Amino acid sequence: MKFLIIGNPESRRSILFESALRKSGVQSVDIVPHMDLLSGKTNLSKYLKPGVMIRIETSGENERVERELIRLGASSEDDILCETLTSEKYEKGLILHPRLWYKGFSEYLQRIYSCVKSFNSTVCKTEEVSFMNAPEEILKMFDKSLCHKMFRENNIRTAQSLGNVASYDELQSKMLEKKIFRVFIKLRYCAGASGIVAYQWASERSLESATTTVELTRKNGEVKLYNSLKIRKYTKQQDIKDIINCLCIEHVHVEKWIPKSGGSDNCFDARFVVINKKACHRIARFSSGPITNLHLGNQRKVVDSSWISQSIINEMEDTAEKAASLFPDSFYSGVDLILPRNSTKPVVIEINAFGDLLNNVEYKKRSTHQYQTDEILKLRNNIVIPAYETC
Amino acid sequence: MTIGKNESFFNGLEIKIYSEIDGISDKYAYKIMVDYDDEENGLTIAGKFKDLMNDPQISDMQALVIGSWEEAFDMSPDDLFTSIIENSDKLQNLKALFIGEMTFEECEMSWINQGNYTEILNSFKGLEVLRVRGANGLKLGSVNHRSLKTLIIESGGLDSEVIMDLIKSNLPSLKHLELWLGVEDYGFNGDLKTLKPLFDNPFPNITYLGIKNSEIVDNVASYLANHAILEKIDTLDLSLGTMTDVGGEALLSGSKVNSLKKLDLHHHFMSAGMMKKLTGLSIDVDITNKNEDEDDWRYVYVSE
């Protein structure tokens, strides 16, 4: 079996997946860098061979690639930005045009898809090139508002959404109207903890706070937002207003903030990696604040019956699998769940197309990547891999 | 730090979430609250309280815990207070009441809207324990209550008016008093002077004095170290605050500290050297939860 990884070759993800493939016995693994495809240095069609399976990796962690994607997104609507993007100095952590990034990413994935489609229809009609995760579904998973709508329509429990919000003022009037005074604001097109704000407002007391991964800076009157590893809590209205308005320009998804279950002085959410329709690797992330992402230094714990009841774990598995099933052409995804305080019924927070990297977490003695590659080979070849049979 | 865990016990009784099926016995404390599942099902704290009051065994209930209600920081509990008062005849055996049992994920402490406790205390003459979490909008009034033994007010920032009302109150049975003062940013507007009358003219039967979660704890410790009230009480609880070596040194050299049974200083900013000296005291001293200054910025246990 042949594999093609489209990714950043230097990234841990590409390296780990390739090594998992090799361990599963796959000999033919090519890697084509995002950068080369985006810059036109190479053409995807050169890499397409009959029967190849493509894994598209995240473009993140590589600033040049991210910038190319933004430029691609801006090309149809903002010539000036395209120009300045080239000259603009790279600033670590700056939240840079996520809406345009998504537009560019969509365009880029569309090109990949078209190339494969035309290969399949003209060159190779017997052994088609396929994707581990279909580009169309990767894009859907990157759209938080769309995912929320899909979950709702399919009776998968999610937090109530406040609909489209274009500004701080509109957010407050929606909060008043719906009588929801604690919300999570997230960038609509984005992954991870970038641009997350846990906002609460006591309208009658004009009291508000925003706990966030965003760092606000003002320079010569210009507001800039940075991703930060330090969680900050803003309590001044003008700061909060600037942050929210700035995020709204990039489009936001706003949901009710549900009190999460937790331990002695913390709360948690859980990431379930669903592989081939089955909830496999799972990890809970504990935080003493509302934002639980792991790279922010939060504690983690394997989800098992030593601390949470098996019936709740089963519910979580079912919910994660149900959420993933809305993306039938995706072999894997990462589903984030919370358990509302006192509840036994989990709520889906989001689904991540590249949510399968969980360090040092095993399922049936295999890493997320190893489990995927073994499963794919099993499916493809209908063979059993002896080394793991005893697991 | 914050309150992350719901309480399991109240007034020595295990807390059970009330359900009509299980009913009521005098062996448990009963809790009602509105969580996310309830909200989705359209349940309200008013409805849940009504169900509780309609339980045939309601008069057996010894202890009641009110947890989160819908949008606790935007909605005042006034209606709930009215209902509690209206049902005082049914709650004739209620000994202990805890209002605001919420974690930071449910509602941060300084955001919890509280109400006026004057009428509650007037209507429940037999109440022995009152615990209140959150002090926004909290009114005590000057209270005249002969049964109250324990009063705990947990806050991220306590208004001086509450302390002054307490000073004017007549609480002859009060043994255990805990005030969580909190920080200025969240509404604490008093100082040592505000508190002094509590120490100088103490409640006649007080044995446990807690001035907790406070950023002026060094001042309080310095004032109390040689104060006669220490001969009256068993426990001085100055925990959860920002105590430094200044407070530690004052207590160490204080003439009255050895008359205590217990000194609780957990969650503090004292040096290892000072901690060692304090463990040399002949009384029981809790100096766990040492914190390190973060950029010279010390914090109380709950400042939110």
Side-chain angles (χ1 to χ4, degrees):
Chain A
M1 192 171 175
K2 296 182 275 289
F3 269 86
L4 173 63
I5 300 171
I6 303 178
N8 300 324
E10 75 287 358
S11 96
R12 202 162 43 124
R13 290 166 180 266
S14 305
I15 294 163
L16 284 172
F17 192 71
E18 188 189 352
S19 98
L21 282 170
R22 303 262 183 226
K23 225 172 144 186
S24 297
V26 175
Q27 301 296 327
S28 170
V29 185
D30 280 330
I31 300 187
V32 54
H34 284 306
M35 197 60 214
D36 290 358
L37 291 178
L38 282 163
S39 65
K41 191 175 162 193
T42 190
N43 195 316
L44 182 61
S45 55
K46 283 191 201 159
Y47 292 82
L48 300 181
K49 299 170 198 157
V52 157
M53 177 165 273
I54 297 176
R55 173 176 169 104
I56 301 174
E57 268 296 356
T58 175
S59 63
E61 298 165 6
N62 183 322
E63 179 259 326
R64 282 177 63 221
V65 172
E66 293 289 86
R67 204 163 276 239
E68 268 317 299
L69 289 169
I70 296 167
R71 197 206 313 278
L72 187 60
S75 58
S76 57
E77 64 175 75
D78 196 336
D79 292 344
I80 300 162
L81 181 65
C82 277
E83 283 298 312
T84 53
L85 270 173
T86 323
S87 57
E88 223 171 345
K89 211 174 128 266
Y90 171 60
E91 286 184 84
K92 200 171 183 302
L94 180 69
I95 297 180
L96 202 60
H97 314 295
R99 186 184 62 82
L100 291 174
W101 172 88
Y102 183 73
K103 216 176 148 200
F105 189 55
S106 306
E107 168 69 27
Y108 173 56
L109 291 198
Q110 189 55 46
R111 284 182 194 170
I112 291 174
Y113 175 71
S114 305
C115 182
V116 168
K117 199 176 157 197
S118 98
F119 179 85
N120 283 342
S121 59
T122 56
V123 187
C124 177
K125 287 185 177 163
T126 48
E127 270 191 285
E128 291 200 329
V129 170
S130 58
F131 291 97
M132 275 184 85
N133 281 6
E136 187 198 353
E137 292 191 348
I138 294 175
L139 290 173
K140 279 186 184 169
M141 285 192 238
F142 262 91
D143 180 343
K144 293 197 175 76
S145 299
L146 175 66
C147 288
H148 185 274
K149 187 165 166 268
M150 289 169 72
F151 294 145
R152 284 258 143 171
E153 285 169 0
N154 288 279
N155 295 321
I156 295 170
R157 198 172 189 213
T158 54
Q160 195 181 342
S161 157
L162 276 80
N164 283 333
V165 167
S167 69
Y168 171 87
D169 292 339
E170 191 183 348
L171 174 65
Q172 285 201 333
S173 61
K174 285 235 161 108
M175 287 170 83
L176 269 181
E177 174 198 324
K178 291 185 189 280
K179 294 206 181 312
I180 294 175
F181 296 99
R182 295 180 107 198
V183 294
F184 265 99
I185 303 159
K186 300 175 190 177
L187 285 169
R188 177 171 173 178
Y189 307 111
C190 160
S194 173
I196 295 183
V197 182
Y199 174 61
Q200 51 185 355
W201 176 40
S203 60
E204 284 176 17
R205 286 190 277 151
S206 314
L207 185 65
E208 58 196 304
S209 80
T211 305
T212 176
T213 56
V214 167
E215 181 185 357
L216 169 74
T217 66
R218 293 192 191 85
K219 213 174 172 183
N220 306 326
E222 190 195 2
V223 172
K224 275 187 175 180
L225 303 185
Y226 292 81
N227 287 314
S228 165
L229 290 181
K230 189 181 163 199
I231 303 280
R232 288 176 169 74
K233 187 170 181 176
Y234 293 93
T235 51
K236 292 197 182 76
Q237 190 191 38
Q238 193 55 51
D239 291 347
I240 296 171
K241 209 169 177 172
D242 283 349
I243 289 171
I244 292 175
N245 281 334
C246 222
L247 291 174
C248 283
I249 294 170
E250 299 296 339
H251 296 190
V252 291
H253 175 70
V254 184
E255 278 181 8
K256 182 165 179 163
W257 167 358
I258 302 172
K260 298 184 267 292
S261 297
S264 60
D265 55 2
N266 50 26
C267 61
F268 74 89
D269 74 352
R271 160 73 54 90
F272 277 67
V273 179
V274 180
I275 297 169
N276 192 22
K277 305 185 182 73
K278 203 168 161 19
C280 301
H281 308 70
R282 66 281 309 269
I283 196 89
R285 308 173 292 192
F286 285 83
S287 165
S288 57
I291 298 170
T292 51
N293 299 60
L294 277 186
H295 70 279
L296 303 170
N298 289 312
Q299 296 297 310
R300 61 182 213 165
K301 201 151 111 184
V302 172
V303 177
D304 63 32
S305 54
S306 69
W307 62 279
I308 188 166
S309 82
Q310 192 55 48
S311 64
I312 290 179
I313 297 175
N314 296 345
E315 284 271 358
M316 289 180 134
E317 287 176 349
D318 287 351
T319 310
E321 287 169 8
K322 213 171 155 199
S325 75
L326 302 183
F327 303 87
D329 294 325
S330 296
F331 191 71
Y332 60 90
S333 57
V335 181
D336 291 344
L337 305 162
I338 62 159
L339 199 60
R341 205 159 269 263
N342 307 314
S343 180
T344 53
K345 293 198 167 50
V347 169
V348 174
I349 295 302
E350 59 186 70
I351 185 163
N352 302 274
F354 302 127
D356 64 331
L357 181 69
L358 287 186
N359 291 326
N360 306 319
V361 182
E362 294 192 330
Y363 177 72
K364 298 193 175 171
K365 296 196 176 163
R366 277 165 280 188
S367 70
T368 52
H369 289 128
Q370 201 63 61
Y371 194 76
Q372 288 174 34
T373 55
D374 286 355
E375 282 294 295
I376 283 207
L377 289 178
K378 260 205 277 187
L379 277 178
R380 272 293 169 96
N381 305 334
N382 208 13
I383 55 156
V384 175
I385 293 152
Y388 298 109
E389 259 319 274
T390 50
C391 310
Chain B
M1 295 291 287
T2 49
I3 305 270
K5 194 184 167 95
N6 289 105
E7 304 287 338
S8 309
F9 290 88
F10 177 48
N11 203 29
L13 300 172
E14 190 186 331
I15 297 175
K16 244 191 177 185
I17 293 172
Y18 171 73
S19 81
E20 274 178 70
I21 301 157
D22 293 346
I24 290 172
S25 90
D26 57 6
K27 303 281 182 291
Y28 295 96
Y30 290 92
K31 176 177 169 180
I32 57 166
M33 81 280 173
V34 175
D35 59 29
Y36 185 69
D37 287 4
D38 294 329
E39 277 181 31
E40 283 206 325
N41 295 325
L43 299 177
T44 61
I45 200 77
K48 289 200 161 197
F49 186 78
K50 203 172 156 200
D51 291 346
L52 177 69
M53 290 307 118
N54 288 335
D55 191 286
Q57 256 70 50
I58 185 64
S59 59
D60 290 346
M61 192 169 65
Q62 304 284 310
L64 172 62
V65 179
I66 308 280
S68 52
W69 52 88
E70 42 294 16
E71 302 298 343
F73 60 82
D74 209 62
M75 201 179 105
S76 94
D78 291 351
D79 292 346
L80 179 67
F81 279 36
T82 309
S83 305
I84 293 173
I85 292 158
E86 281 169 3
N87 284 282
S88 56
D89 55 328
K90 285 186 178 170
L91 296 167
Q92 56 207 255
N93 281 315
L94 191 73
K95 296 275 186 299
L97 178 63
F98 182 177
I99 298 189
E101 200 280 304
M102 297 178 218
T103 62
F104 74 94
E105 261 292 273
E106 292 167 298
C107 186
E108 290 176 20
M109 194 184 281
S110 59
W111 290 59
I112 300 171
N113 270 326
Q114 280 290 352
N116 190 336
Y117 282 82
T118 314
E119 273 312 302
I120 287 194
L121 287 164
N122 283 339
S123 311
F124 290 85
K125 292 289 180 207
L127 198 69
E128 293 176 1
V129 177
L130 176 64
R131 181 168 174 184
V132 176
R133 182 170 294 163
N136 179 62
L138 172 68
K139 292 271 181 298
L140 207 55
S142 64
V143 182
N144 193 343
H145 198 286
R146 306 204 67 80
S147 307
L148 198 68
K149 291 179 181 159
T150 298
L151 175 64
I152 301 172
I153 300 175
E154 301 172 9
S155 99
L158 190 63
D159 193 295
S160 294
E161 203 183 310
V162 175
I163 302 170
M164 290 187 294
D165 280 347
L166 191 59
I167 290 163
K168 282 183 266 170
S169 295
N170 177 27
L171 298 169
S173 304
L174 194 71
K175 285 176 141 177
H176 181 121
L177 174 66
E178 269 181 55
L179 297 177
W180 296 36
L181 301 184
V183 298
E184 202 178 332
D185 282 352
Y186 287 97
F188 175 63
N189 51 8
D191 53 21
L192 180 61
K193 230 171 89 189
T194 326
L195 295 164
K196 274 182 181 172
L198 272 183
F199 310 142
D200 299 348
N201 300 302
F203 294 105
N205 283 305
I206 192 153
T207 58
Y208 188 113
L209 177 65
I211 301 294
K212 300 172 62 161
N213 199 47
S214 168
E215 55 185 358
I216 63 161
V217 68
D218 275 343
N219 294 348
V220 174
S222 303
Y223 183 71
L224 288 179
N226 295 302
H227 199 287
I229 192 174
L230 300 198
E231 291 170 334
K232 192 173 175 60
I233 59 176
D234 297 333
T235 303
L236 177 62
D237 179 355
L238 301 176
S239 65
L240 310 183
T242 58
M243 183 171 290
T244 67
D245 283 359
V246 174
E249 187 59 48
L251 291 168
L252 204 59
S253 53
S255 58
K256 310 279 188 190
V257 175
N258 276 317
S259 61
L260 290 169
K261 286 200 177 103
K262 176 161 185 177
L263 181 59
D264 190 346
L265 305 176
H266 80 272
H267 185 286
H268 61 83
F269 293 82
M270 291 183 287
S271 65
M274 180 56 67
M275 287 165 70
K276 205 171 162 211
K277 284 188 205 166
L278 283 165
T279 47
L281 283 172
S282 59
I283 58 167
D284 181 7
V285 185
D286 185 348
I287 43 168
T288 53
N289 288 18
K290 174 177 163 53
N291 294 278
E292 302 294 341
D293 281 15
E294 269 183 24
D295 309 325
D296 220 19
W297 184 69
R298 302 185 195 98
Y299 43 88
V300 299
Y301 183 68
V302 178
S303 55
E304 54 177 30

